[in-house]
Amino acid sequence: QVQLVESGGGSVQPGGSRKLSCAASGTNFALYEMRWYRQAPGKERELVAIITTTGFTTYGDSVLGRVIISRDSAKNMVYLQMNSLKSEDTAVYYCNAFDSSTRISHWGQGTQVTVSS
């Protein structure tokens, strides 16, 4: 069983930056594609970024150029560096581990990011 724990959420002013972290345990981290999703109140869950097992990255259109996803396999960690934050980035951010062989996803509990002046 995979356990994912997000951290780093909080309040930030528009234009500011925030770095989210996700700690993975209970699995061979290197085998999982790691993703960040977010969900704002009243909206559907949205894909923010993906990093594959080989380090290839993909970003959602709404965050392209403003966020960077990275992973540290030695530490079983995945990160989301968010810059130039906007009010519309306010959401609960979720870490996701995706096993492409079984197509099973594992989710963290989420961390709230609030962008407000």
Side-chain angles (χ1 to χ4, degrees):
Q1 185 68 22
V2 179
Q3 293 85 41
L4 302 172
V5 179
E6 302 96 333
S7 61
S11 296
V12 60
Q13 293 188 340
S17 298
R18 200 81 183 180
K19 186 175 183 177
L20 305 182
S21 300
C22 174
S25 60
T27 185
N28 187 342
F29 177 76
L31 298 180
Y32 285 81
E33 178 177 283
M34 299 302 296
R35 304 171 174 183
W36 285 97
Y37 288 81
R38 68 184 183 185
Q39 188 166 21
K43 295 187 177 181
E44 293 186 353
R45 192 166 293 189
E46 174 189 17
L47 178 64
V48 177
I50 299 171
I51 185 164
T52 68
T53 56
T54 57
F56 183 79
T57 58
T58 305
Y59 297 97
D61 289 343
S62 61
V63 299
L64 187 62
R66 299 190 296 118
V67 306
I68 299 172
I69 187 171
S70 60
R71 66 191 295 165
D72 185 336
S73 294
K75 297 181 178 179
N76 282 11
M77 296 289 294
V78 62
Y79 306 99
L80 186 70
Q81 175 67 48
M82 303 187 293
N83 303 314
S84 301
L85 285 164
K86 307 175 183 179
S87 58
E88 51 263 45
D89 294 317
T90 295
V92 178
Y93 285 72
Y94 296 92
C95 180
N96 173 274
F98 179 71
D99 185 338
S100 60
S101 63
T102 63
R103 307 201 69 77
I104 293 176
S105 276
H106 303 275
W107 295 90
Q109 83 289 349
T111 186
Q112 174 73 46
V113 174
T114 301
V115 184
S116 173
S117 56

